[in-house]
């Protein structure tokens, strides 16, 4: 006589056996693999994307090709300043006419700093990274380089940029300017610039600056009054268009075309990447968006 309890056990065992048989008959011995993520096509000449947690490559296109970097160079400018020992972000720097003349001579991007104004190092960093001010870059190089003349200080500062690049393992990079307006020997790669961004993002002050969409500086004029500057707006449109974006920096120029170093965090995962020599400002943002979506899809 089979009791009700024993009957249930037998039926369950039979069901398990039938299921197992069906699985074996179908040749399925493991869980089905996740659907492959399609590799994106980007307009940029080169690109690179990595998992920030372990530096693992997620995407690469010509990633070791040396190219002009435009104002993405300013990431290193900021990194050198922020790595100075006993750095006082509230220290004031007086804006010199040389900085203004440099902007005019090179038709360069500007933070519109006023000659004679006293501007803090913190404000200069915002002026460097948001509107991509070459005047701010010049002021920082002059402030944090060592030497008895401005030219010597700037040369020393650029030397610090190259030393820092070596420490970050940027083996295919050379800087010959503080802002990307090079003298023929200012270059890097998508992979190296991604390494740079990853290292720079370890600094809390850097992270705070590059994720800021807009910043209004209050400077001190020659007469001691307060000047409220026009707001500096971040040129990195991903901060508004791509959820989770945490930076980093745009770049452009006749040689560099349109560049973007970018980073975003979603579900506790951070990816960092670079596109160099894209075809327009809007396309570089589209290229970066494609890579970000691809990276997060691969990480799951």
């Amino acid at each position: 006589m089979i009791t009700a309890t024993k009957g249930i056990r037998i039926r369950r065992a039979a069901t398990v056996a039938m299921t197992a048989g069906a699985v074996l008959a179908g040749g399925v011995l493991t869980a089905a693999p996740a659907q492959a993520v399609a590799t994106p096509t980007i307009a940029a000449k080169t690109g690179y994307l990595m998992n920030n947690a372990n530096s693992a490559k997620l995407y690469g296109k010509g990633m070791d090709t040396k190219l002009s970097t435009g104002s993405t160079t300013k990431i290193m400018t900021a990194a050198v300043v922020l790595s100075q020992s006993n750095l006082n972000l509230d220290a004031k720097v007086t804006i010199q006419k040389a900085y203004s003349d440099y902007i005019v001579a090179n038709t360069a991007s500007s933070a519109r700093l006023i000659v004679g104004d006293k501007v803090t190092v913190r404000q200069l960093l915002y002026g460097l990274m948001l509107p991509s001010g070459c005047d701010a870059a010049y002021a920082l190089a002059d402030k944090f380089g060592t030497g008895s003349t401005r030219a010597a200080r700037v040369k020393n500062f650029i030397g610090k940029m190259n030393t820092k690049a070596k420490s970050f393992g940027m083996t295919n990079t050379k800087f010959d300017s503080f802002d990307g307006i090079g003298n023929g020997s200012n270059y890097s790669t998508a992979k190296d610039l991604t390494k740079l961004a990853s290292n720079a993002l370890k600094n809390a002050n850097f992270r705070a600056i590059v994720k800021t969409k807009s910043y209004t500086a209050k400077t001190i004029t020659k007469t001691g009054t307060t000047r409220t500057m026009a707001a500096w707006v971040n040129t990195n449109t991903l901060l508004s268009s791509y959820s989770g974006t945490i930076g980093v920096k745009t770049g452009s120029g006749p040689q560099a075309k349109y560049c973007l170093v970018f980073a975003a965090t979603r579900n506790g995962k951070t990816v960092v990447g670079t596109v160099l020599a894209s075809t327009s400002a809007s396309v570089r943002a589209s290229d970066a968006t494609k890579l970000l979506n691809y990276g997060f899809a691969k990480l799951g």
Side-chain angles (χ1 to χ4, degrees):
M1 178 179 177
I2 299 174
T3 64
T5 300
K6 287 182 179 179
I8 291 171
R9 287 174 179 168
I10 291 170
R11 285 195 298 274
R12 283 178 178 170
T15 300
V16 170
M18 289 175 65
T19 302
V23 170
L24 289 171
V28 181
L29 300 177
T30 59
Q35 186 173 0
V37 182
T39 304
T41 299
I42 60 173
K45 187 172 182 179
T46 69
Y48 186 72
L49 188 76
M50 77 177 193
N51 179 356
N52 197 51
N54 56 11
S55 299
K57 172 189 167 187
L58 297 172
Y59 173 92
K61 173 189 175 182
M63 59 190 186
D64 293 319
T65 302
K66 298 174 184 177
L67 294 174
S68 176
T69 59
S71 286
T72 61
T73 297
K74 290 167 181 160
I75 301 171
M76 181 58 87
T77 308
V80 169
V81 171
L82 289 167
S83 68
Q84 299 299 301
S85 59
N86 302 314
L87 177 65
N88 179 8
L89 289 172
D90 296 318
K92 291 181 173 59
V93 176
T94 302
I95 302 305
Q96 306 295 317
K97 186 174 183 294
Y99 313 156
S100 178
D101 290 345
Y102 175 82
I103 293 294
V104 174
N106 291 281
T107 318
S109 53
S110 172
R112 303 180 301 279
L113 299 171
I114 308 299
V115 175
D117 277 12
K118 289 182 173 59
V119 184
T120 68
V121 172
R122 187 192 312 275
Q123 291 167 338
L124 287 173
L125 286 166
Y126 276 95
L128 173 79
M129 298 303 287
L130 272 63
S132 200
C134 294
D135 45 355
Y138 198 166
L140 288 166
D142 192 8
K143 167 72 174 175
F144 291 99
T146 301
S148 58
T149 66
R150 182 175 294 117
R153 291 190 291 273
V154 167
K155 183 178 180 179
N156 175 265
F157 185 86
I158 294 170
K160 291 180 180 180
M161 294 170 68
N162 284 304
T163 298
K164 183 70 70 178
K166 289 179 182 177
S167 75
F168 289 161
M170 298 169 65
T171 56
N172 292 306
T173 295
K174 182 180 177 183
F175 296 111
D176 73 351
S177 77
F178 49 75
D179 59 0
I181 302 177
N183 298 302
S185 298
N186 199 91
Y187 58 81
S188 189
T189 68
K191 184 175 182 180
D192 275 6
L193 287 174
T194 301
K195 288 181 183 179
L196 169 58
S198 179
N199 279 283
L201 285 165
K202 293 174 183 177
N203 183 284
N205 287 307
F206 183 88
R207 291 196 304 273
I209 292 166
V210 297
K211 74 177 182 181
T212 301
K213 294 180 182 179
S214 178
Y215 180 88
T216 300
K218 293 183 182 294
T219 62
I220 305 300
T221 68
K222 290 179 181 178
T223 59
T225 60
T226 299
R227 184 195 309 278
T228 301
M229 300 287 289
W232 292 324
V233 177
N234 202 318
T235 56
N236 182 6
T237 58
L238 288 185
L239 289 167
S240 296
S241 67
Y242 195 87
S243 176
T245 298
I246 57 174
V248 175
K249 184 75 185 70
T250 60
S252 61
Q255 284 185 305
K257 305 303 181 186
Y258 294 88
C259 311
L260 181 58
V261 181
F262 53 91
T265 299
R266 286 186 176 179
N267 300 319
K269 298 171 183 176
T270 298
V271 294
V272 185
T274 299
V275 290
L276 296 177
S278 194
T279 54
S280 72
S282 60
V283 173
R284 73 183 170 195
S286 174
D287 283 343
T289 297
K290 289 177 183 178
L291 293 188
L292 286 168
N293 285 338
Y294 176 69
F296 286 124
K298 284 196 75 172
L299 292 177

